[in-house]
C-alpha cells in the first residue's frame, strides 16, 4: 500500500554554506511578525520605564545619565528594575545588529549591480 504525501509539506531549508543561508528574503507575514515584535519590545520598555524605581542617589536627566544610572537599577532587587537595565543595555546592541544586517544587504546589492571597470574587459 502506497502512502500519500502529506498536504502539509515541511518547508525547505537552505543548506549551510548556500547563498541563502541566514539571509533569505522575508515574506510579508514575517515582516508583520517582525514589526509586531519590535512594537512589543518598545511597549515593554515603556512599561518597565514607568514602573521602575530609580535609586534616590541617581535620577537620570539625559541619555548619558540614564546609561550611568541604569547600572544602579538592580540595587533595588526588583525584577522590573533588573529587566529595565537589561532592556536599556540590549536595545542599542539590537539596533546595531539590525543596522549591520542592512549594510550587508546594501553592499551585496551594490556589488550585484556594479559594472566591470573600464579596460578590464576582453576585446576580441
Amino acid at each position: 500500500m502506497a502512502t500519500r504525501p502529506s498536504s502539509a509539506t515541511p518547508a525547505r531549508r537552505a543548506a549551510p554554506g548556500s547563498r541563502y543561508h541566514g539571509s533569505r528574503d522575508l515574506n510579508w507575514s514575517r515582516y508583520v511578525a517582525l514589526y509586531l515584535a519590535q512594537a512589543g519590545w518598545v511597549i515593554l520598555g515603556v512599561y518597565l520605564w514607568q514602573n521602575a524605581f530609580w535609586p534616590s542617589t541617581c535620577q537620570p536627566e539625559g541619555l548619558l545619565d540614564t546609561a550611568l544610572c541604569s547600572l544602579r537599577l538592580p540595587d533595588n532587587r526588583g525584577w522590573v528594575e533588573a529587566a529595565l537595565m537589561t532592556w536599556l543595555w540590549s536595545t542599542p546592541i539590537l539596533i546595531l545588529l539590525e543596522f549591520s544586517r542592512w549594510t550587508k544587504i546594501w553592499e551585496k546589492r551594490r556589488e550585484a549591480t556594479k559594472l566591470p571597470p573600464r579596460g578590464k574587459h576582453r576585446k576580441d
Side-chain angles (χ1 to χ4, degrees):
M1 176 186 225
T3 60
R4 288 187 334 172
S6 170
S7 62
T9 57
R12 287 181 53 193
R13 294 184 181 210
S18 72
R19 75 176 213 180
Y20 288 116
H21 185 69
S23 62
R24 189 169 178 192
D25 292 337
L26 299 177
N27 295 335
W28 67 270
S29 61
R30 291 186 182 182
Y31 274 112
V32 170
L34 178 67
Y35 289 126
L36 284 175
Q38 288 176 349
W41 184 256
V42 170
I43 291 169
L44 173 67
V46 169
Y47 170 79
L48 293 172
W49 186 275
Q50 289 178 348
N51 293 317
F53 293 105
W54 290 88
S56 60
T57 58
C58 193
Q59 296 293 320
E61 294 180 7
L63 190 61
L64 183 61
D65 287 340
T66 302
L68 294 174
C69 290
S70 68
L71 296 172
R72 301 186 63 193
L73 276 170
D75 292 346
N76 292 338
R77 301 196 190 276
W79 72 270
V80 174
E81 291 79 14
L84 178 60
M85 185 191 82
T86 304
W87 190 91
L88 287 170
W89 283 93
S90 62
T91 299
I93 295 169
L94 293 173
I95 291 170
L96 288 173
L97 287 173
E98 183 65 18
F99 181 73
S100 71
R101 186 178 76 87
W102 277 104
T103 55
K104 279 185 185 178
I105 290 171
W106 289 332
E107 286 175 3
K108 285 181 182 179
R109 285 184 183 166
R110 188 173 38 177
E111 287 177 6
T113 60
K114 202 183 277 186
L115 296 174
R118 291 184 182 197
K120 296 291 183 182
H121 58 281
R122 261 177 60 174
K123 294 182 183 177
D124 289 321

